[in-house]
Amino acid sequence: MTDNSGGSVDKAPVTVFLLDDHEVVRRGVHDLLDAEPDLEVVGEAGTAEQALARVPALRPRVAVLDVRLPDGDGVAVCRELRSRMPDLACLMLTSFDDEEALLDAIMAGASGYVLKQITGVDLVNAVRTVASGQSMLDPGATARVMARLRGGAREEPPQGLPGLTEREREILALVGEGLTNREIGNRLYLAEKTVKNNISRLLAKLGVERRVQAAVIATQAAAAQGDRTQGDRTQGDRTQGDRNGSTATRKGRSQT
């Protein structure tokens, strides 16, 4: 890219916001990221309340969020910020190798989840990765979560979604895609409060308490539907083949 005089114009750095209740950690991450020419820390917070007030005002490209906070948790902050700023990339940074937190973070729309044991170079790369629109998940924790979900799917195969209205099925499918209430409302032209009420009802009907559990059910139901569709196609192909075979046989007999 060049300016009007023909000179080179540097690409704007990726703006980053930091949320961590430990000042020493914030300072360390701040210095690490600010040392990179393509990254710029534009704000910090030590509590969820501060982050929810400051991030929308600063409009960073990436928010690095601690999972456990004195007045809440980073996953809830991620969910709320993403509902206000859908283009915000949230990178969860935590000391705890927590499978539940990873699942919740994914469902809240987080782009990445890494442990604080990560090296400085890897953290810088993680910020760049989520800023570019890609996902960055700790491989160890992700592998365990996926194994657990696959195991759960084998133990409790979905039996359809009886009792859900067509609207609730639509909302459940979008929950399974990781959309926030606001994003679901925009997709279906519903008020955010209406979406929230529908989700509360479908959770009760499904017999679960957490949104992430409903998302797993939605994923399993979609997979089961795909298997049934494929089975129907296979049966249809066989039936058509049988018909074609019968027709050919009849033609052969008539010709003789």
Side-chain angles (χ1 to χ4, degrees):
M1 181 176 178
T2 58
D3 59 19
N4 294 333
S5 62
S8 175
V9 176
D10 292 334
K11 186 177 179 180
V14 172
T15 52
V16 183
F17 187 93
L18 306 178
L19 169 60
D20 197 296
D21 59 324
H22 294 97
E23 183 182 1
V24 172
V25 174
R26 288 203 313 275
R27 286 182 177 273
V29 175
H30 184 292
D31 292 345
L32 176 70
L33 298 181
D34 251 7
E36 301 296 321
D38 59 330
L39 303 176
E40 178 186 3
V41 177
V42 295
E44 301 179 12
T47 66
E49 182 180 9
Q50 292 173 348
L52 291 174
R54 295 173 185 174
V55 173
L58 294 169
R59 312 295 295 185
R61 178 70 189 89
V62 176
V64 179
L65 310 174
D66 189 9
V67 171
R68 300 193 181 184
L69 300 165
D71 62 336
D73 65 87
V75 173
V77 172
C78 171
R79 183 178 296 111
E80 177 62 26
L81 289 176
R82 290 263 306 150
S83 72
R84 301 187 206 174
M85 305 167 56
D87 293 334
L88 176 68
C90 293
L91 176 64
M92 313 308 297
L93 183 63
T94 179
S95 302
F96 305 96
D97 191 356
D98 186 341
E99 296 173 11
E100 285 293 330
L102 172 56
L103 270 173
D104 288 346
I106 293 172
M107 297 312 304
S111 300
Y113 186 101
V114 295
L115 303 179
K116 286 183 179 177
Q117 293 89 324
I118 193 173
T119 65
V121 171
D122 287 341
L123 178 57
V124 168
N125 289 334
V127 171
R128 289 177 178 141
T129 297
V130 299
S132 69
Q134 302 177 63
S135 296
M136 181 70 201
L137 300 175
D138 178 74
T142 303
R144 285 193 299 278
V145 167
M146 294 307 297
R148 190 174 116 194
L149 289 178
R150 293 189 189 104
R154 286 194 297 270
E155 292 169 7
E156 300 180 9
Q159 301 298 323
L161 301 172
L164 296 188
T165 65
E166 186 62 30
R167 176 64 76 191
E168 288 167 346
R169 290 170 187 268
E170 291 177 336
I171 291 175
L172 179 61
L174 296 176
V175 168
E177 293 179 19
L179 272 64
T180 66
N181 288 355
R182 180 168 296 182
E183 290 169 335
I184 292 173
N186 291 339
R187 183 80 64 88
L188 300 179
Y189 304 101
L190 298 173
E192 189 173 352
K193 185 176 181 181
T194 301
V195 174
K196 184 177 180 180
N197 291 338
N198 273 277
I199 290 178
S200 296
R201 284 196 298 271
L202 71 85
L203 290 179
K205 289 181 179 181
L206 294 172
V208 298
E209 298 180 355
R210 305 180 65 185
R211 187 186 185 100
V212 67
Q213 293 171 303
V216 172
I217 291 174
T219 302
Q220 293 175 356
Q225 179 62 38
D227 291 341
R228 285 194 296 271
T229 301
Q230 183 61 39
D232 292 343
R233 287 180 185 148
T234 302
Q235 183 61 39
D237 292 343
R238 287 174 182 162
T239 301
Q240 185 61 43
D242 292 341
R243 289 173 180 166
N244 292 341
S246 298
T247 301
T249 301
R250 287 195 299 272
K251 287 182 177 179
R253 287 174 181 169
S254 64
Q255 290 172 356
T256 58

